[in-house]
Amino acid sequence: MFNYSFGVGVYYFMGLYRAKILGTGLYYPQKVVTNDDLARSIDTSDQWITERTGIKKRRISSTDGGEFPTDMAMNAAFIALKNANLSANDINCIIFATFTPDYRLPNCATILQTKLGITNGCAAMDIAAACSGFLYGLNTANAFIQTGMMKNILVIGSEMLSREVDWSDRGTCILFGDGCGVALVGRNEDANDSSEILATKLGADGSGRDFLYQTYGGSVNPITPEIAASRERYLTMNGKEMFKVAVRTLAEISLSAVEAAGLKGIDEIDWFIPHQANHRILEATADRLSIDPKKVIINIEDYANTSAATIPTAFHQAVSDGRIKRGQLLLFSAFGGGLTSASTVLRY
Ligand code: UT7
C-alpha cells in the first residue's frame, strides 16, 4: 500500500489519502514604505532599488500591536476558513512558519490557536526554515494528511522582518517587508475531484549558513544591553552569494519536484510561484527552467521579500483575481537562509 523511495534530503510517499488546498488567505500591514521613503534616510534611490531588485514598495507592521506575526495570521486564517467553508474548530493542526516569532516561547502556533478561538486542543507547532518555511509546512501537512493522522491543517507563513533588519544597511533593508499568507490543507475524499498535492521535495545545505544569518538572540549569543544598542543584532546577508545559490537551487529543486510528480516536463505547469527574493532571481530562474515568464506569479514589486510569506501571499492573490483556477497544475519553489530549499507540485 505504501511506496517509499528515499534520496538525499528528499522523499516521496504514496499515502492512504490525498491532500488538497481547501482555502487561502493573506494579511498585509497597513503602512506602505516606498523606495523614495527609504532614500530619505539611507544612501539609495528608487532607480537603484527598482533596477537591482524589481521592488518599488513594501509593507511594515505597526509596533503598537495588531500586526505582529500571529495577528496577521489570525486575519489571514479567517479569510482562508471562509474560503474553505470551515470553522476554526475543524482545524486539527496549526503549522506556523516564521523566523520572526512573536516570542521565543510560547510558539506562534499556540498563540494563534487561542486567537482563532480553537477549543479542540489541536496540535500547534512552529517551523524555522527561513524563506522555505511555508513549503516545509505545506509538505509536512501533506504527509500528515496522506497518513490519515490529520484531516484539516492550517499552514502559515508570517513574518515581521522589519524588526530584524538593520534600517541603516542599504545592502539588506531595501529587500524586505512584512506580511502573512496561509493555506488550509485538507483530505480530498472525492474520487471525482482531481485536486491534490502531487509531489514534495525538501532539502538543505548547511554549508551555506554564513550567507544569511543573525549572530545574536540565540543561546550562544544572547542579546546583552550592549548588543541591543548596536547594529550587530540584525540580520546579515551576503547578497551576491545568496543570489547565485538562489537561481541554481530554485531551478534544481523545481525540476526534481516536476519529475517526482510524474509530469512529462515543466511545460505542463500552468503557474510557477517562486519565493520572491529579487525580480532578477525570478527572471534568471525562469530562464534556466525554460518556463514562459507569463506563467511566473510575481508580487515582489509591491510587497518586497516577506520570507516565509511570499509564496502563500502571491498564491492567494492569484487565486483571488482568477488567474489560478481549480484543476490547474502549480509549482511552488523556495530557498532561504540555512540554506533551506523546498518545492511542491500540486493540482489546485
Ligand atoms: O530571501 C532570500 C535572501 N536574499 C536574497 O536572495 C538576496 C539576493 N541578492 C540580491 O538580491 C542582491 O545581491 C542585492 C539586491 C542584495 C544587491 O544587488 P547586487 O547587484 O548584488 O549589488 P552589490 O551588492 O554588488 O552592490 C553593487 C553596488 C555597490 O557599489 P560599488 O561597490 O560598486 O561602488 C554597492 O555599494 O551597489 C551599491 N549598493 C547600493 N547602491 C544604492 C548596494 N546596495 C545599494 C543600494 N542603493 N540599496
Side-chain angles (χ1 to χ4, degrees):
M1 189 175 297
F2 295 97
N3 289 323
Y4 298 88
S5 81
F6 290 89
V8 180
V10 296
Y11 67 91
Y12 178 61
F13 173 77
M14 287 280 289
L16 280 172
Y17 297 100
R18 296 181 298 141
K20 69 177 273 193
I21 306 280
L22 304 173
T24 58
L26 70 68
Y27 181 86
Y28 281 118
Q30 301 300 311
K31 185 177 174 185
V32 178
V33 174
T34 65
N35 293 343
D36 286 331
D37 292 332
L38 292 181
R40 280 190 270 279
S41 55
I42 51 170
D43 182 14
T44 191
S45 65
D46 175 49
Q47 189 186 354
W48 192 96
I49 301 171
T50 305
E51 283 175 10
R52 307 307 291 171
T53 71
I55 298 165
K56 298 294 276 183
K57 51 194 171 187
R58 69 283 295 139
R59 299 294 180 94
I60 301 296
S61 286
S62 163
T63 51
D64 296 334
E67 291 187 334
F68 293 118
T70 62
D71 299 317
M72 294 194 280
M74 178 189 72
N75 288 307
F78 280 131
I79 295 169
L81 282 165
K82 191 161 178 253
N83 289 337
N85 207 15
L86 291 176
S87 61
N89 269 314
D90 293 322
I91 295 169
N92 309 127
C93 177
I94 299 172
I95 302 180
F96 201 117
T98 187
F99 79 96
T100 55
D102 290 23
Y103 304 99
R104 289 283 303 277
L105 194 70
N107 69 19
C108 284
T110 53
I111 298 172
L112 180 63
Q113 185 198 52
T114 313
K115 286 187 175 172
L116 291 175
I118 295 175
T119 52
N120 64 11
C122 73
M125 65 176 172
D126 283 13
I127 284 191
C131 305
S132 310
F134 175 78
L135 292 190
Y136 263 67
L138 183 64
N139 294 355
T140 304
N142 182 47
F144 282 169
I145 289 166
Q146 283 187 322
T147 58
M149 198 173 148
M150 308 275 184
K151 199 166 176 194
N152 296 313
I153 303 182
L154 178 64
V155 185
I156 298 133
S158 189
E159 304 278 15
M160 189 168 167
L161 286 154
S162 54
R163 282 285 209 203
E164 308 305 325
V165 161
D166 179 354
W167 289 100
S168 65
D169 174 13
R170 68 178 185 170
T172 55
C173 74
I174 50 124
L175 278 180
F176 297 106
D178 301 334
C180 172
V182 308
L184 259 165
V185 191
R187 191 187 289 175
N188 183 358
E189 294 179 279
D190 180 352
N192 298 316
D193 180 352
S194 63
S195 296
E196 180 179 3
I197 294 178
L198 295 167
T200 62
K201 292 283 180 183
L202 298 175
D205 176 10
S207 69
R209 56 176 275 187
D210 291 341
F211 298 159
L212 185 57
Y213 62 93
Q214 249 178 304
T215 306
Y216 293 93
S219 300
V220 176
N221 298 308
I223 296 189
T224 59
E226 293 74 33
I227 292 298
S230 79
R231 295 170 53 198
E232 286 180 72
R233 60 176 289 251
Y234 295 115
L235 192 146
T236 305
M237 181 177 71
N238 182 334
K240 279 210 177 310
E241 288 304 326
M242 282 305 280
F243 197 104
K244 282 187 260 174
V245 171
V247 177
R248 193 182 65 239
T249 312
L250 282 175
E252 280 173 6
I253 200 150
S254 297
L255 288 176
S256 90
V258 165
E259 192 187 335
L263 305 186
K264 284 195 272 318
I266 203 136
D267 289 352
E268 286 193 61
I269 294 293
D270 292 299
W271 295 105
F272 177 37
I273 309 183
H275 168 51
Q276 316 275 309
N278 179 320
H279 201 283
R280 289 186 297 136
I281 291 177
L282 306 187
E283 280 168 351
T285 305
D287 190 49
R288 209 177 249 235
L289 287 170
S290 299
I291 191 163
D292 181 349
K294 288 202 229 51
K295 291 182 172 181
V296 185
I297 290 180
I298 299 178
N299 70 358
I300 192 169
E301 181 176 342
D302 293 333
Y303 303 103
N305 177 350
T306 54
S307 187
T310 66
I311 291 176
T313 50
F315 178 35
H316 176 74
Q317 287 172 332
V319 167
S320 303
D321 67 22
R323 274 174 292 169
I324 293 179
K325 294 178 181 56
R326 284 285 176 193
Q328 290 185 323
L329 278 171
L330 313 184
L331 168 66
F332 299 151
S333 299
F335 76 98
L339 302 166
T340 58
S341 55
S343 192
T344 309
V345 173
L346 63 90
R347 189 173 292 285
Y348 178 62

